[in-house]
Amino acid sequence: MAMWGGRFSENTSKDVADYSESISFDKRLYKYDIQGSKAHATMLGGAGIIPEATAKMICEELDNILDRIEKGDFEFKMELEDIHMNIESALIAKLGDEGARVHSARSRNDQVALDIRLYLRDEIALLIDMIREFQKSLVAKAAENPEAIMPGFTHLQHAQPVLFAHHLLAYVEMLDRDAERLADCAKRINVLVLGSGAIAGSTLPIQREKVCELLNFSRVSRNSMDAVADRDFAIELLSDLAIFAMHTSRLSEDLILWCSQEFDFVELGDAFCTGSSLMPQKKNPDVAELTRGKTARIYGDLMAMLTMCKGLPLTYNRDLQEDKEQIFDALDTAKKILRVYPPMLASMELKKENMAKAASDPALMATDVAEELVKLCVPFRTAHHRVGAFVKYCKDNNKQLNECTLEEMQITIPEANANFLTLFDAKSSVGKREVTGGTGFNEVKKQIAFWQKTLE
Ligand code: ARG
């Protein structure tokens, strides 16, 4: 008979038990379930709700159970549904009636919400550390190649020359916001919900502040119904992970393009690529492709959580048990990305000549010409129009922008002077963009130094 079986005269069928169990996946919460139960028992003992000696026995036995689980010497039973009842029943098996006191003033509804919060608090700290390592690997690659010039793209068309390091640092900024979002989410997770009972709190004189202190939460939840009903904190985490994955997916797309024969800007280490079973010459950037693919999984986890919650009446509904597999899958996927990416970036070799060659097209400096006119007091719109006409003249006459004489240039740009003929060098174009946040050599070195110091 189930632990809640008092009012039942029939057992659930095997299929129903199979359908409703969560132990096969929520067993990974064991450590947090035990941590929570120990704090709860300690409080119950201190408040005189159970004898102090009982509380002590319970805590000791919970430590034994933890030990057994970690040694692989604990049998998880499907009939006991979930991690909470597996642990509680092991406690009762050992301590009898004394163990049966642990669930006073507690429901699995507040217990499971507590366990997830404790678990996510740790997971977020780990994720943030891993994101910092990811950032470091990008900064290291930028620092190794502070002067490599490549074409910057808009609409996947050559736009203006930029430093490769500047491109990498763009991702460092994105990852920084990802880490900040996670840290912010952790603040809302770090609330004690235990003591909410099934829905309405408890008639027993529990001391929630005591449990809050023991478990190192920042505060006690204010509304027992909210505490057991909502999983917004997990949805928020999954949103944060979806944004993080979106960023890594874009980086992956950049790498995939750069590895293609058409770009040929970088080569990834052999250990991060695979070959073709048919075409002997192939070297495919599978890790980057899989990251793009796995991003879809994380979006799926987020969508599943949002959809699961949208129609639930307050408060707890069993639907909420479905939160865990989404949470675990999104976290596992994000951590896999984070494990594989930094070493892959470290293995990346630049093909600087190819990048420089692609950035040397003088058309990439057309904006520099327009800005030079602005310096001569020509209104920007007029300048833009003149340089556009110059680009058309070159196209019509089958010339590169730097192949015209000053006289030819003056046909469309009457203000042009000899200096204008020197504007078509990618390196000096980059060198002039020393505005804060720009791609100038000094500015980018400053940014590299900033990140090296920040991530130390
Ligand atoms: N395994 C359940 C879950 O994950 C625990 C809470 C069960 N509560 C209940 N009233 N049946 O949500």
Side-chain angles (χ1 to χ4, degrees):
M1 192 52 81
M3 291 180 83
W4 37 254
R7 58 100 70 214
F8 287 78
S9 43
E10 242 186 297
N11 278 323
T12 45
S13 74
K14 166 86 179 65
D15 282 342
V16 170
D18 199 46
Y19 192 59
S20 47
E21 67 88 20
S22 56
I23 187 65
S24 56
F25 49 89
D26 68 11
K27 60 176 175 235
R28 81 157 88 175
L29 297 173
Y30 72 89
K31 212 168 71 184
Y32 303 100
D33 198 72
I34 289 172
Q35 189 189 1
S37 290
K38 282 177 71 181
H40 184 64
T42 304
M43 178 278 290
L44 291 175
I49 299 168
I50 64 173
E52 290 249 37
T54 302
K56 201 162 160 272
M57 269 161 63
I58 289 173
C59 288
E60 279 165 15
E61 186 48 29
L62 284 168
D63 280 336
N64 281 336
I65 293 171
L66 178 69
D67 212 45
R68 277 167 55 204
I69 295 175
E70 293 195 326
K71 285 197 184 113
D73 181 22
F74 186 94
E75 196 199 340
F76 291 109
K77 295 196 184 108
M78 204 253 278
E79 320 79 83
L80 292 171
E81 269 181 45
D82 56 25
I83 187 63
H84 324 295
M85 293 204 294
N86 266 273
I87 290 175
E88 191 187 334
S89 100
L91 194 65
I92 295 170
K94 201 65 178 253
L95 304 182
D97 268 356
E98 296 318 297
R101 296 184 195 282
V102 73
H103 210 54
S104 315
R106 186 175 76 172
S107 152
R108 276 185 296 157
N109 298 354
D110 57 349
Q111 189 178 359
V112 70
L114 166 75
D115 289 6
I116 303 171
R117 284 171 186 266
L118 285 170
Y119 165 73
L120 291 183
R121 204 166 67 170
D122 275 6
E123 287 291 304
I124 287 180
L126 182 65
L127 281 170
I128 292 176
D129 282 350
M130 293 177 93
I131 290 177
R132 296 301 180 206
E133 290 306 314
F134 193 171
Q135 287 180 293
K136 280 187 199 167
S137 69
L138 286 161
V139 174
K141 212 22 85 172
E144 267 172 43
N145 305 281
E147 311 229 312
I149 293 177
M150 64 178 275
F153 295 83
T154 63
H155 311 265
L156 197 55
Q157 307 282 315
H158 282 182
Q160 295 181 326
V162 294
L163 290 178
F164 177 77
H166 196 49
H167 193 127
L168 293 187
L169 292 187
Y171 284 110
V172 176
E173 297 283 345
M174 295 178 209
L175 290 171
D176 202 56
R177 292 192 293 277
D178 293 336
E180 279 180 15
R181 261 186 288 275
L182 287 171
D184 199 62
C185 175
K187 290 186 207 156
R188 280 173 288 283
I189 286 178
N190 200 21
V191 173
L192 175 81
V193 288
L194 196 72
S196 302
I199 169 170
S202 177
T203 60
L204 295 166
I206 52 172
Q207 296 165 349
R208 298 191 65 205
E209 279 70 19
K210 174 80 190 157
V211 181
C212 182
E213 197 188 303
L214 287 172
L215 294 173
N216 211 6
F217 280 109
S218 67
R219 69 173 177 87
V220 171
S221 61
R222 285 182 293 263
N223 184 303
S224 61
M225 295 178 76
D226 168 46
V228 295
D230 207 1
R231 294 290 183 269
D232 60 351
F233 59 93
I235 295 174
E236 188 179 345
L237 170 64
L238 264 52
S239 315
D240 295 348
L241 292 180
I243 297 173
F244 156 75
M246 178 272 292
H247 286 147
T248 58
S249 184
R250 291 186 76 167
L251 173 57
S252 298
E253 177 63 11
D254 276 342
L255 293 178
I256 292 162
L257 287 172
W258 295 348
C259 287
S260 72
Q261 286 70 32
E262 281 66 25
F263 280 76
D264 204 17
F265 286 177
V266 300
E267 176 153 2
L268 299 171
D270 280 1
F272 300 91
C273 295
T274 63
S276 156
S277 58
L278 177 68
M279 299 168 282
Q281 86 287 9
K282 292 280 274 175
K283 177 171 170 181
N284 300 322
D286 296 42
V287 168
E289 292 169 63
L290 282 166
T291 304
R292 209 172 44 184
K294 286 181 189 297
T295 299
R297 265 181 97 107
I298 296 183
Y299 290 5
D301 295 328
L302 169 62
M303 283 311 133
M305 281 286 284
L306 282 166
T307 311
M308 180 188 85
C309 290
K310 77 181 266 292
L312 296 184
L314 294 192
T315 54
Y316 178 85
N317 298 269
R318 190 65 180 271
D319 315 43
L320 290 172
Q321 179 168 293
E322 293 285 316
D323 64 351
K324 277 166 285 297
E325 280 167 298
Q326 318 303 331
I327 294 173
F328 296 157
D329 184 69
L331 283 168
D332 290 348
T333 307
K335 284 190 288 185
K336 277 186 195 168
I337 296 173
L338 284 161
R339 259 192 297 275
V340 79
Y341 240 93
M344 179 170 77
L345 288 170
S347 81
M348 181 172 71
E349 301 273 0
L350 271 59
K351 299 185 176 176
K352 291 186 200 161
E353 328 69 53
N354 296 351
M355 290 181 180
K357 188 155 171 278
S360 68
D361 174 0
L364 273 72
M365 272 58 81
T367 311
D368 298 41
V369 180
E371 289 186 354
E372 208 55 33
L373 285 169
V374 169
K375 290 184 201 157
L376 297 176
C377 270
V378 178
F380 182 75
R381 270 294 147 233
T382 310
H384 187 284
H385 191 81
R386 293 203 174 147
V387 179
F390 176 56
V391 170
K392 182 168 187 309
Y393 171 88
C394 292
K395 199 168 161 274
D396 292 347
N397 291 278
N398 229 338
K399 287 185 169 190
Q400 298 287 332
L401 269 57
N402 61 348
E403 287 170 356
C404 291
T405 61
L406 180 56
E407 291 66 35
E408 280 181 288
M409 197 187 258
Q410 283 168 339
I411 300 172
T412 49
I413 312 176
E415 296 85 353
N417 57 44
N419 176 40
F420 278 57
L421 299 177
T422 68
L423 296 175
F424 298 104
D425 178 58
K427 192 166 173 198
S428 56
S429 169
V430 167
K432 280 182 262 179
R433 288 185 156 71
E434 296 293 2
V435 59
T436 301
T439 197
F441 294 104
N442 291 328
E443 182 58 22
V444 170
K445 275 181 201 138
K446 217 167 77 190
Q447 298 297 337
I448 291 173
F450 166 80
W451 282 115
Q452 283 171 330
K453 190 160 185 292
T454 305
L455 296 169
E456 226 163 54

